[in-house]
Amino acid sequence: MEVVKAVDEQNQVQEQEQNSGLREKSPVIRMKRPYFIMLLVFLVIFASGITAFALSFGKESQPMVIGGSSERDEFAKLYNAYDTLKKGYYKDIDEDKVINGAINGMIQSLDDPYSTYMDEKDAKEFQHSVSSSFEGIGAEIQEKDGHIMIVSPLKGSPAEKAGLKPKDIVIMVDGKSIQGMTSTQAVMLIRGEKGTKVELTIQRPGVEGTIKVPIIRDEIPIETVHGEMVGDGIAKVQITTFSTNTSKELVETLNNLQEKGMKGLILDLRQNPGGLLEQAVSISSMFVPKGKLLFKVEERNGNIEEYKSKNEGNPEFPLVVLIDNGSASASEILAGAVKESAGVPLVGEKSFGKGTVQTVQDFPDGSNVKFTTAKWLTPNGNWIHKKGIEPDYKVAVPDYYNLPYLDPKLELKKGSSSNDVKTAQQMLSVLGFDPGRKDGFFDEKTENAVKAFQQANKLQTNGAITGSTTEKIIGQLQEKIIKDDPQLKKAIEVIKKEMK
């Protein structure tokens, strides 16, 4: 018998998620227009005002003639400011730039990192990057408090390999400050073709100073589901993002694992930044009994729409779900649904906390506006926005999981003193080579530890940390992180009890 009897094919979304390698966080949950007509509320105000600037955004409202009887009082100040600049500024103004600035200002005044405006040029470039390739660094970002923050690097991506972590704040890109940029502007600056290099300067919570992270852009993995047996009839399936074919991939993976003897499942949503809402509905339905609530959507007028499981039956195996602070949006919908409607235990760390829904309105001139239309609630009515979902079994990861990236091009040797040396000393210590100190000063004991590491790995024994030595240190640290994984170990412990 197949693991999943029914997956609603109508939920297979025709629209490919915006994933060009580095993705803007704001569209991670997107509702179809029949579900959310609330954008009309916005457009009635938006279109009637902006048409005064000779932009035609549709038929949602009647065109306005400045000074005519249809002029709206609430836009008087806006018109006056525009006329004042056009007539009195010391040089000719760029009308398109001023108008786009006014629109962008309206969006920014919402103080909502998930709402943004793209003018014709930015929208065209962004759509081109989406349709032409899946190349970039592979990370979800969002604007927060005027900064660009990493939500989550994608599994196997250059961003993950370079050591980017959730909550990292990007300060500069190739030495250029991005302070005050929108997430869209940051995406356009960071994305690029496979094989090209970009250097991010980041601030990491709990780490002193800034960290420079060089990344070689590459093709981003398209597969979103990865499954394996982890022993004793237990399978682990990681979902990296909720894309167009994720539910189909998951069904195939589960059926394959069942043939290998799967009797219990660990669903890994760590570092999953979200994706398409329809996929979250399909996948949640696989693990929640038919008719039970998956989540609710609350509009600004207080109306609530309930989304229920469409599954015809429950999988015949116990389930445990892994989450962390990189689990966001659609991941949180799934985690909340199985926790509250199916009694599935969650293991790991508190999730990211993204509880809003966005939609995109395209305009005839090629620009668009993406804005929040509603908030979603868990089956029990909890709004997890900015709070996240607490796991049933809280398991922290070791401090060395968050060590900064160490650039192989650097040469660290006896007499050096820097934060990079401090990072290298911490890495050596974790790998079992005692540097004698961890304060950032490269002394004789640290040199001896490096030589011992080089000898153990058949590298040139010169006592300096650079090139292949650095790469080997980083590689072994990554292997240790995967091998140790205290969250996975706890999940295995929990599911074994569920299987009895």
Side-chain angles (χ1 to χ4, degrees):
M1 182 185 70
E2 291 190 344
V3 172
V4 182
K5 292 182 179 179
V7 176
D8 189 351
E9 294 299 330
Q10 293 181 353
N11 283 328
Q12 299 303 315
V13 186
Q14 299 303 313
E15 176 186 8
Q16 178 69 41
E17 182 182 14
Q18 294 182 347
N19 179 1
S20 60
L22 180 130
R23 298 183 302 175
E24 184 181 1
K25 182 68 186 78
S26 45
V28 295
I29 292 182
R30 193 178 287 181
M31 300 294 287
K32 290 183 177 180
R33 287 176 187 165
Y35 296 147
F36 288 97
I37 308 300
M38 290 198 330
L39 61 88
L40 295 177
V41 176
F42 177 88
L43 291 176
V44 166
I45 299 173
F46 189 83
S48 61
I50 301 304
T51 46
F53 295 151
L55 291 181
S56 176
F57 286 155
K59 300 180 180 179
E60 286 79 4
S61 63
Q62 295 298 317
M64 180 185 306
V65 179
I66 297 179
S69 59
S70 62
E71 182 176 350
R72 294 177 57 174
D73 293 340
E74 60 263 42
F75 289 101
K77 184 186 292 187
L78 184 63
Y79 302 150
N80 288 336
Y82 177 78
D83 289 340
T84 298
L85 291 175
K86 188 173 182 179
K87 295 176 182 178
Y89 194 61
Y90 81 101
K91 60 181 180 180
D92 291 340
I93 65 172
D94 184 330
E95 294 183 7
D96 288 340
K97 187 175 182 179
V98 170
I99 293 168
N100 286 330
I103 301 170
N104 196 47
M106 282 194 287
I107 300 298
Q108 290 184 346
S109 71
L110 299 175
D111 195 24
D112 177 7
Y114 305 108
S115 296
T116 187
Y117 169 73
M118 284 188 278
D119 62 24
E120 182 180 1
K121 179 182 177 182
D122 287 344
K124 184 176 181 179
E125 289 182 359
F126 191 80
Q127 291 298 331
H128 174 72
S129 71
V130 171
S131 60
S132 63
S133 69
F134 287 91
E135 298 177 356
I137 71 167
E140 290 277 0
I141 67 171
Q142 79 162 107
E143 180 187 355
K144 184 177 182 181
D145 300 328
H147 300 290
I148 299 300
M149 183 180 72
I150 301 293
V151 173
S152 183
L154 302 179
K155 179 179 175 63
S157 68
E160 183 189 53
K161 294 175 182 177
L164 288 183
K165 303 289 183 182
K167 309 293 186 181
D168 283 347
I169 301 296
V170 183
I171 304 300
M172 292 189 289
V173 177
D174 289 333
K176 177 182 178 181
S177 173
I178 61 171
Q179 179 74 21
M181 281 190 181
T182 65
S183 53
T184 300
Q185 292 170 327
V187 166
M188 308 309 280
L189 191 62
I190 300 173
R191 68 173 175 83
E193 295 181 358
K194 176 180 178 180
T196 59
K197 177 183 175 182
V198 62
E199 183 178 82
L200 307 186
T201 302
I202 65 169
Q203 285 183 339
R204 176 166 296 167
V207 177
E208 183 180 352
T210 59
I211 306 168
K212 291 185 178 180
V213 184
I215 305 175
I216 302 298
R217 301 179 179 101
D218 201 351
E219 184 174 350
I220 306 307
I222 297 176
E223 289 186 359
T224 60
V225 179
H226 307 268
E228 61 178 325
M229 298 298 296
V230 292
D232 298 324
I234 300 172
K236 179 176 82 74
V237 173
Q238 182 176 19
I239 301 177
T240 60
T241 186
F242 291 82
S243 193
T244 306
N245 295 317
T246 301
S247 59
K248 181 180 178 181
E249 289 181 42
L250 180 58
V251 171
E252 293 173 351
T253 300
L254 291 178
N255 287 328
N256 179 262
L257 291 171
Q258 190 177 40
E259 291 176 358
K260 295 180 179 180
M262 177 180 65
K263 297 179 181 178
L265 172 64
I266 297 171
L267 195 60
D268 191 350
L269 301 180
R270 293 176 297 178
Q271 306 294 296
N272 184 321
L276 298 176
L277 178 66
E278 291 85 351
Q279 291 294 306
V281 172
S282 291
I283 294 171
S284 297
S285 292
M286 296 180 190
F287 305 106
V288 175
K290 185 176 181 179
K292 285 202 171 186
L293 282 177
L294 300 178
F295 63 97
K296 307 174 185 178
V297 172
E298 181 178 341
E299 301 177 356
R300 72 177 188 178
N301 60 8
N303 290 338
I304 294 179
E305 182 176 1
E306 296 183 342
Y307 287 75
K308 297 181 179 181
S309 175
K310 302 177 181 180
N311 194 13
E312 292 184 353
N314 292 319
E316 297 175 355
F317 48 78
L319 174 69
V320 171
V321 173
L322 282 168
I323 60 171
D324 66 3
N325 58 8
S327 305
S329 196
S331 296
E332 293 172 298
I333 285 181
L334 175 53
V338 297
K339 175 183 173 68
E340 296 183 6
S341 289
V344 172
L346 306 181
V347 176
E349 297 175 292
K350 183 172 69 173
S351 65
F352 181 82
K354 199 263 186 183
T356 56
V357 179
Q358 285 70 44
T359 192
V360 176
Q361 174 62 38
D362 297 319
F363 300 128
D365 70 343
S367 62
N368 66 40
V369 61
K370 177 173 64 245
F371 59 101
T372 300
T373 56
K375 58 185 181 182
W376 69 266
L377 313 173
T378 66
N380 292 344
N382 297 314
W383 192 36
I384 58 91
H385 197 58
K386 297 183 179 180
K387 296 183 293 185
I389 298 175
E390 292 284 354
D392 299 286
Y393 299 90
K394 189 170 184 177
V395 182
V397 294
D399 291 340
Y400 66 81
Y401 274 49
N402 296 315
L403 285 175
Y405 177 78
L406 201 59
D407 189 351
K409 292 183 178 180
L410 294 174
E411 184 177 11
L412 310 177
K413 56 185 180 180
K414 187 177 178 180
S416 302
S417 180
S418 66
N419 284 329
D420 291 313
V421 172
K422 183 177 180 179
T423 296
Q425 290 171 331
Q426 292 173 310
M427 290 180 175
L428 286 168
S429 179
V430 169
L431 296 175
F433 299 88
D434 184 11
R437 62 199 302 167
K438 303 175 187 177
D439 59 359
F441 180 70
F442 202 125
D443 63 2
E444 185 175 354
K445 287 186 177 180
T446 299
E447 184 181 53
N448 290 335
V450 175
K451 288 180 178 179
F453 177 85
Q454 290 172 330
Q455 289 174 350
N457 290 279
K458 299 180 180 180
L459 299 169
Q460 181 183 1
T461 308
N462 57 15
I465 302 175
T466 188
S468 58
T469 296
T470 304
E471 292 173 354
K472 197 68 169 180
I473 290 174
I474 294 173
Q476 289 193 6
L477 186 65
Q478 289 296 323
E479 291 174 4
K480 182 174 178 60
I481 288 173
I482 294 172
K483 181 180 178 181
D484 290 350
D485 199 344
Q487 294 172 341
L488 176 59
K489 289 180 178 179
K490 183 63 178 180
I492 292 174
E493 176 189 324
V494 172
I495 203 165
K496 282 182 176 180
K497 293 179 182 179
E498 298 281 330
M499 291 169 63
K500 290 181 179 179

